Amino acid sequence: MLKLTNVNSFYDRSHILHAVCLDIPIGKVTAVLGRNGTGKTTLLKTLMGLTDRMEGQINLEGTEIGKEPTFRRARAGIAYVPQGREIIPDFSIRENILMGAFARPDGKREIPELVPELFPYLMDNLERAGGVLSGGQQQQLAIARALAAQPKIILLDEPNEGIQPSIVEEIEAVIIRLNREVGLTVVLVEQNVAFARQAAHYFAMMEKGRIVVSGAIDELSDDMVHRHMAV
């Protein structure tokens, strides 16, 4: 579905991604692993067209999108849940969710049918300001906003970071369900190796802006984790 070929990505003069090649299979979860500062977030931003410059090719379902602006990538079916969530604090829950719907190809602006089932708290508090929500509730809101775009692929950047333990398991269960039951392709940047092993079908390990090892998740050994993730 999504293929990166010799992708280099830059912020101003800083060269962050180096000749990245990665296949992201349709309908599967691909976990992107590595220490902090190895380029994982930049990889997701590059997929969305949010870095200053990119070289190489990004192919989505046979179409080259590497030169397309962010809004066209979103309309092509890629949704992004960034690290820190980036909800708009003065907007209501309803307004935050409906922002995602601007990327829908059919132009409809509506709350996805899945949201009441996945996140009942959000539906019970649609007029509440996003800024007063807890970290976990804001993460639910960010995922709901991404789903409003009716994506084929969802990019999740450390979705459990800064979330209270009581909600972490709920978020993890939602991510697995979106893949297994809804069929969404998921690219998951994650530091929690145990969750990556539970959720993902494939993995890619990053080091200094490069993919240093990748494969099926059952090939992810403790030695690889120690070598590339231990501090």
Side-chain angles (χ1 to χ4, degrees):
M1 168 175 274
L2 188 59
K3 183 180 182 68
L4 292 82
T5 306
N6 291 323
V7 168
N8 294 270
S9 196
F10 304 80
Y11 296 118
D12 195 16
R13 296 182 181 180
S14 297
H15 190 174
I16 308 299
L17 297 187
H18 300 264
V20 169
C21 295
L22 181 64
D23 291 341
I24 297 167
I26 186 171
K28 303 296 182 183
V29 179
T30 300
V32 181
L33 307 170
R35 297 182 182 91
N36 289 332
T38 57
K40 303 185 302 296
T41 292
T42 298
L43 176 64
L44 299 191
K45 288 187 173 183
T46 300
L47 288 171
M48 289 305 302
L50 295 172
T51 61
D52 293 340
R53 182 164 58 92
M54 188 212 87
E55 299 169 353
Q57 294 184 326
I58 301 175
N59 191 283
L60 175 62
E61 295 183 313
T63 299
E64 170 58 33
I65 63 168
K67 300 292 190 292
E68 295 292 339
T70 297
F71 78 90
R72 287 202 177 126
R73 301 186 197 202
R75 287 183 178 169
I78 306 176
Y80 178 39
V81 180
Q83 192 176 30
R85 299 169 281 277
E86 297 182 13
I87 59 98
I88 298 180
D90 293 334
F91 278 22
S92 68
I93 288 174
R94 182 195 305 275
E95 289 168 331
N96 269 285
I97 294 173
L98 291 179
M99 280 190 63
F102 281 107
R104 280 182 59 149
D106 61 9
K108 291 183 180 178
R109 297 188 68 228
E110 58 189 29
I111 295 174
E113 294 180 3
L114 265 177
V115 170
E117 189 176 345
L118 295 177
F119 307 123
Y121 174 84
L122 300 182
M123 293 303 296
D124 291 340
N125 296 273
L126 283 174
E127 306 313 318
R128 195 174 189 199
V132 303
L133 303 182
S134 70
Q137 291 162 348
Q138 288 188 7
Q139 186 64 284
Q140 293 177 347
L141 179 54
I143 294 172
R145 178 184 60 195
L147 294 176
Q150 290 191 325
K152 303 170 186 175
I153 303 169
I154 188 165
L155 313 178
L156 297 163
D157 194 352
E158 297 200 30
N160 290 323
E161 183 184 45
I163 292 178
Q164 56 269 44
S166 60
I167 297 186
V168 166
E169 289 187 5
E170 294 179 25
I171 296 292
E172 291 178 348
V174 164
I175 293 168
I176 292 172
R177 183 175 177 184
L178 288 175
N179 172 253
R180 307 300 198 268
E181 297 182 20
V182 180
L184 271 178
T185 301
V186 177
V187 183
L188 173 68
V189 165
E190 186 56 68
Q191 293 284 346
N192 184 333
V193 174
F195 175 53
R197 283 175 165 152
Q198 177 189 3
H201 302 90
Y202 299 94
F203 78 96
M205 188 73 74
M206 296 196 69
E207 189 83 51
K208 296 180 180 178
R210 294 175 168 85
I211 304 289
V212 291
V213 62
S214 63
I217 196 67
D218 58 8
E219 297 170 358
L220 177 62
S221 67
D222 291 341
D223 179 66
M224 290 177 190
V225 172
H226 179 77
R227 195 181 329 146
H228 299 294
M229 295 188 71
V231 178

